[in-house]
Amino acid sequence: MSRRCELTGKGAQVGHKVSHSNMKTKRRFLANLVNVTMISDALGRSVKLRISTNALKTVDHRGGLDAFLMKARDGELSPKARELKRQIVKKQASQQPSQ
């Protein structure tokens, strides 16, 4: 399993570990990923995702998973999240004419 956020695409970065004598060795900075279950209001069901804690705060700030996915670009979403976004758009399109 890759250490990559399913919503933002945030992943591992490479940098240096610097010792007291200023010797530099390669190291990886891993994203802070958590497994969460989020509820989609449009679909009326819950979805399990592995996302960064920063993305979790952003989803809450934007008003939920559906609102976050509508604003997100497809390039940074995982295939699972892209499929979820497609289902939400389809569901909202089918509900529009009745209003």
Side-chain angles (χ1 to χ4, degrees), residues 30-48:
L30 299 175
N32 186 11
L33 299 179
V34 291
N35 294 319
V36 294
T37 303
M38 306 189 95
I39 297 173
S40 170
D41 296 329
L43 300 177
R45 64 182 174 94
S46 61
V47 182
K48 286 187 178 182

Side-chain angles (χ1 to χ4, degrees), residues 42-43 70 82-97:
L43 300 177
M70 290 301 106
R82 237 179 281 135
E83 174 62 23
L84 192 61
K85 180 178 179 178
R86 189 189 65 76
Q87 290 175 3
I88 291 170
V89 168
K90 185 177 177 183
K91 186 80 163 184
Q92 288 178 345
S94 67
Q95 293 175 349
Q96 285 290 21

Side-chain angles (χ1 to χ4, degrees), residues 17-76:
K17 185 190 318 183
V18 181
S19 71
H20 178 69
S21 63
N22 210 24
M23 293 285 291
K24 294 167 183 72
T25 55
K26 289 277 192 169
R27 66 159 287 187
R28 291 178 66 193
F29 291 93
L30 299 175
N32 186 11
L33 299 179
V34 291
N35 294 319
V36 294
T37 303
M38 306 189 95
I39 297 173
S40 170
D41 296 329
L43 300 177
R45 64 182 174 94
S46 61
V47 182
K48 286 187 178 182
L49 295 170
R50 184 170 176 156
I51 63 174
S52 64
T53 53
N54 189 11
L56 187 59
K57 287 174 65 175
T58 306
V59 167
D60 191 37
H61 178 75
R62 287 190 186 170
L65 181 62
D66 299 343
F68 180 90
L69 288 173
M70 290 301 106
K71 284 188 177 182
R73 287 177 278 169
D74 287 346
E76 59 190 20

